[in-house]
Amino acid sequence: IADCLADQVLDAGKSELRDVYAIGLRTLCKTVPPHMGDRVSQQLVVRLLEGIRVNTESVEHDKSSEDIVLSCLDVLTDLLARFGATAPSVTREHEHILHMCLTQLASDSHVVRKRAGNTIGCLSVVLSDQLLSRMVESLLSQIDMAEGVGKSGKRKTRLAHAQAQNVQTGRVADTRALIRTMCTVSGAVGHRLGQTQIDRILPIFLRFCDPDDAVTGDDAMDDDEEMGDGEDDQENEAAVALANELRESCFTGFESFVSRCPTEVERHLELVIQAALAYMSYDPNYSYGDDDEEEDEQGSEYDGGDDDDDEEEEYEDDDDELEDDDDDDDDD
């Protein structure tokens, strides 16, 4: 049954029913009797890895290839969750699975990157200490090359958005996937990370959550006037959304570390609390830059109202003068 379903999932011509076959294969992985786990895993692991490798190169151009990669990652995740630590046929392939998933974090498809991150999170639970350390080091070295995105310049946020859409670089998009993956790993096996690794991870996350960015409340407002007024608003909004998503992933990581390894993060708690308090009062859906304009408009209305009052007083004075003149005429 496993072989038959795998054939259908990996068949490029079965795109219409691939989801059905993938669901069947995932159900098989979740319900197969434990004593048959190693046999089923032996039939699937190598084929799934090969399916990912073969279809990776054409993911950008072929929707069917992307669907095959996604299905393979989903089945692989279920297989790792059920037999990742007990089936010898799976444990022997831990290193190959790790390498393949790390490669997928550089995919041009954001869906593939996200699924690969989920698979890595599941894999981290069953990895040996040596492979786990190697994986964390790989993720950190790539994250460390990225710069924080915030009020330090609209150029950075827009450059981030441009790179996320650029097939050749894709660097910031990969950074977002790397941070999300690191957060997933820390939530799953944060207690297994050493002090040295945590001391590297938290400063990287804090760089994406600068409290000064929350003070201004608007990543699009900065002193970068050379960008000009003709920039595309849609591009700017996407860049700000990218920055906010990065921050959200970082705060998820903070939560995981504080709850899973409170002793190791104690030296960083003050900075984490500062960032958390700053962003508690920051609403990414609110345009802080419009406040001044609204206040100016309201002020103008109030000023106009004062002018109207002055005019009414002048009219009343004129009426009083006319009445006085009429009284004088009557006396005469």
Side-chain angles (χ1 to χ4, degrees), residues 126-144:
V126 296
L127 281 179
S128 64
D129 291 340
Q130 182 180 2
L131 284 178
L132 179 62
S133 178
R134 189 191 308 177
M135 178 190 69
V136 172
E137 181 63 30
S138 176
L139 292 172
L140 288 177
S141 61
Q142 295 180 70
I143 295 174
D144 200 32

Side-chain angles (χ1 to χ4, degrees), residues 299-311:
S300 299
E301 292 177 0
Y302 293 141
D303 293 341
D306 293 340
D307 293 340
D308 293 339
D309 292 340
D310 293 338
E311 292 177 1

Side-chain angles (χ1 to χ4, degrees), residues 206-227:
L206 286 167
R207 196 174 64 211
F208 288 87
C209 302
D210 188 352
D212 292 339
D213 295 351
V215 172
T216 60
D218 195 345
D219 291 292
M221 302 296 292
D222 60 20
D223 298 329
D224 225 356
E225 297 180 357
E226 63 189 67
M227 298 298 294

Side-chain angles (χ1 to χ4, degrees), residues 79-199:
L79 205 59
L80 288 168
R82 183 84 190 279
F83 303 111
T86 58
S89 57
V90 180
T91 56
R92 287 194 301 266
E93 300 294 336
H94 279 177
E95 187 171 0
H96 294 154
I97 296 173
L98 176 60
H99 174 73
M100 186 65 68
C101 291
L102 289 174
T103 303
Q104 294 306 309
L105 291 179
S107 170
D108 298 320
S109 169
H110 72 280
V111 181
V112 171
R113 292 195 298 268
K114 188 172 183 179
R115 297 285 179 86
N118 293 337
T119 304
I120 289 177
C122 191
L123 177 64
S124 64
V125 177
V126 296
L127 281 179
S128 64
D129 291 340
Q130 182 180 2
L131 284 178
L132 179 62
S133 178
R134 189 191 308 177
M135 178 190 69
V136 172
E137 181 63 30
S138 176
L139 292 172
L140 288 177
S141 61
Q142 295 180 70
I143 295 174
D144 200 32
M145 293 187 297
E147 295 184 357
V149 179
K151 81 173 182 65
S152 54
K154 186 163 31 178
R155 181 188 299 106
K156 277 186 181 180
T157 0
R158 285 174 175 165
L159 179 61
H161 178 59
Q163 288 178 334
Q165 292 183 334
N166 191 324
V167 174
Q168 298 300 324
T169 58
R171 174 177 168 183
V172 175
D174 295 344
T175 301
R176 181 174 53 186
L178 291 167
I179 292 177
R180 186 190 301 114
T181 302
M182 193 68 253
C183 292
T184 303
V185 171
S186 65
V189 293
H191 57 286
R192 294 177 58 189
L193 299 180
Q195 184 69 59
T196 303
Q197 294 171 324
I198 292 177
D199 288 341

Side-chain angles (χ1 to χ4, degrees), residues 60 146 290 299 314 316 318:
E60 177 192 355
D290 293 341
E314 290 178 2
E316 291 177 357
D318 292 341

Side-chain angles (χ1 to χ4, degrees), residues 239-258:
V240 174
L242 170 62
N244 289 329
E245 186 173 346
L246 285 171
R247 293 183 185 121
E248 184 178 1
S249 296
C250 290
F251 278 111
T252 302
F254 292 147
E255 180 182 1
S256 299
F257 282 123
V258 170

